[in-house]
Amino acid sequence: MAAPEPALSVVVPIYNEESVLPLLVARLRGVLDALGEPYEVVAVDDGSTDHTAVALLAARRQWPQLRVLRLRRNSGHQPALLAGLMRARGAHVVSIDADLQDPPETIAEMLRLAREEDLDIVYGVRADRRADTAFKRWTASVYYRLMRRIVGNDVPAHAGDFRLLSRAAVEALRELPERAPVLRLVVPWLGFPSGEVTFERGERAAGRTKYPLSRMIALAADSVTSFSAAPLRVATWLGLAGVAVCGVLVVVAVVAFFLGATVSGWPSLYVAILFLGAVQLLCLGLLGEYVARIYTAVQARPPYYVAEDSDATASIVDSYR
C-alpha cells in the first residue's frame, strides 16, 4: 500500500553542515511531529565534502520522514533549493536553511496562516537584523530597496529563502523557462496571494557561514540581470554623457583656437582619455553580463543533477528540465 502524500514538505539545502545537523534534526523533528500531520523533510546534500552525507543517512535510520536528496556536485544554494522544491511532494512546501537562524517553530504559524487566509505564499520576514553586522544590514537594505524598484513592491523587505509555498505555486515555478531562477525574486513575481510571518533571527547554531560576501555579490548581480535591462540603459546614458562631454570639449577647443589660447596641456587630454576609457569598459562589462546569461541559456545545462534520492518511488538520476 502506497504511503499517503504528505501534507507538508520541508526543504533544507545543506552543504558541509555536519556540526549543525544533530541540532537541526532534534529541533525540526520536534516541531513537525507536534503538527500531527503527515510530512516529509527533503534534505538536499549539495555535494558536501565533509561527513554530512554520513550524518544524514544515520539520522534517516532514526527518522523515517527524513528524505535525503544527494546532488552529484556542489551546485550552489539556489540550485540546491530548487532541486528540493521540484522533488517535494507535499501540499505545502517550506524552505529553510540548515543553520537554524530561521526558527523552525515559525513553520506552524506559516502553515496556519496559509490555511486560514487561503494563501499560496507565506514569507518569513525578519523582525529586525540586530544579529547581523552593520555592513550586512546596510548592504541588505540597499539590495531590497533596489529589488523593490526593479521587480515591484511585491518583494517583501528582509525576506530571504524562508517561505511557504502551496502546491500550485510550486507547479508554477516548474513551468518557468528559467533554469536557474533567483527564487526570492521569482516567487513574488508569480503574483500568488501572499502573507507574512515575522520572526526573530538568531545566531548560527554551529559551524561557519556558507554564504560569504562573494556569493552575496553574485546573488545581487544575478538578481539585477535576471529581472531588468536597467544596467544596459545605464550604459546607454553613460555613453550619451560621454558624447556630451566630448562635444563640450570640442567647443572649448575651437573657442580656444580662435582666441589664440591653444597651449597644449596633458591634464585635459589625460582626464578625457580616462573618462572615455572608463565609460567604454563599464559599458562592455554590462553588455558582457547579459551576453554571458544568453550563452548560459543557449548551453541549456541543468543547474543540478540528482545522484540519489532515498525516496524509493522517485527516479535515481534526474535533473531540472
Side-chain angles (χ1 to χ4, degrees), residues 63-296:
W63 191 10
Q65 291 89 349
L66 178 61
R67 176 181 168 192
V68 180
L69 196 67
R70 185 173 63 84
L71 304 188
R72 291 192 178 276
R73 55 183 292 275
N74 177 238
S75 302
H77 181 269
Q78 293 291 299
L81 182 56
L82 185 65
L85 291 175
M86 295 300 103
R87 285 295 190 97
R89 298 180 291 118
H92 289 90
V93 183
V94 173
S95 58
I96 186 172
D97 288 338
D99 55 17
L100 291 176
Q101 288 189 282
D102 301 330
E105 292 77 13
T106 309
I107 293 175
E109 186 178 355
M110 297 169 86
L111 187 61
R112 177 193 59 78
L113 182 65
R115 288 172 172 171
E116 289 182 355
E117 300 189 13
D118 195 23
L119 302 176
D120 287 289
I121 305 170
V122 178
Y123 300 101
V125 178
R126 304 172 194 178
D128 60 65
R129 304 186 69 104
R130 286 179 296 182
D132 295 338
T133 63
F135 175 75
K136 192 167 184 179
R137 289 197 298 269
W138 178 76
T139 54
S141 175
V142 171
Y143 173 81
Y144 284 109
R145 282 204 301 269
L146 178 61
M147 292 306 104
R148 287 166 77 90
R149 284 188 64 88
I150 292 175
V151 183
N153 291 329
D154 290 334
V155 178
H158 307 297
D161 290 309
F162 184 30
R163 68 177 75 85
L164 177 145
L165 301 176
S166 68
R167 173 50 48 187
V170 173
E171 293 304 318
L173 282 176
R174 192 188 301 277
E175 295 301 318
L176 290 178
E178 293 180 71
R179 293 180 176 272
V182 180
L183 293 173
R184 65 182 62 186
L185 300 183
V186 169
V187 170
W189 176 86
L190 291 174
F192 283 93
S194 63
E196 297 180 1
V197 170
T198 58
F199 66 91
E200 298 288 339
R201 186 170 171 83
E203 299 286 345
R204 166 175 269 274
R208 295 185 300 176
T209 180
K210 307 304 185 299
Y211 220 75
L213 179 62
S214 59
R215 292 200 175 187
M216 289 190 287
I217 294 174
L219 175 65
D222 287 342
S223 300
V224 173
T225 55
S226 294
F227 267 86
S228 175
L232 293 177
R233 297 190 182 99
V234 170
T236 301
W237 285 108
L238 285 174
L240 291 174
V243 170
V245 171
C246 288
V248 171
L249 291 176
V250 168
V251 172
V252 170
V254 171
V255 171
F257 175 78
F258 283 108
L259 293 178
T262 55
V263 178
S264 60
W266 65 267
S268 58
L269 181 62
Y270 179 72
V271 171
I273 291 175
L274 281 181
F275 175 77
L276 293 176
V279 169
Q280 289 174 350
L281 289 175
L282 178 59
C283 295
L284 285 174
L286 293 173
L287 288 171
E289 286 292 327
Y290 284 90
V291 171
R293 296 190 69 85
I294 295 171
Y295 175 66
T296 301

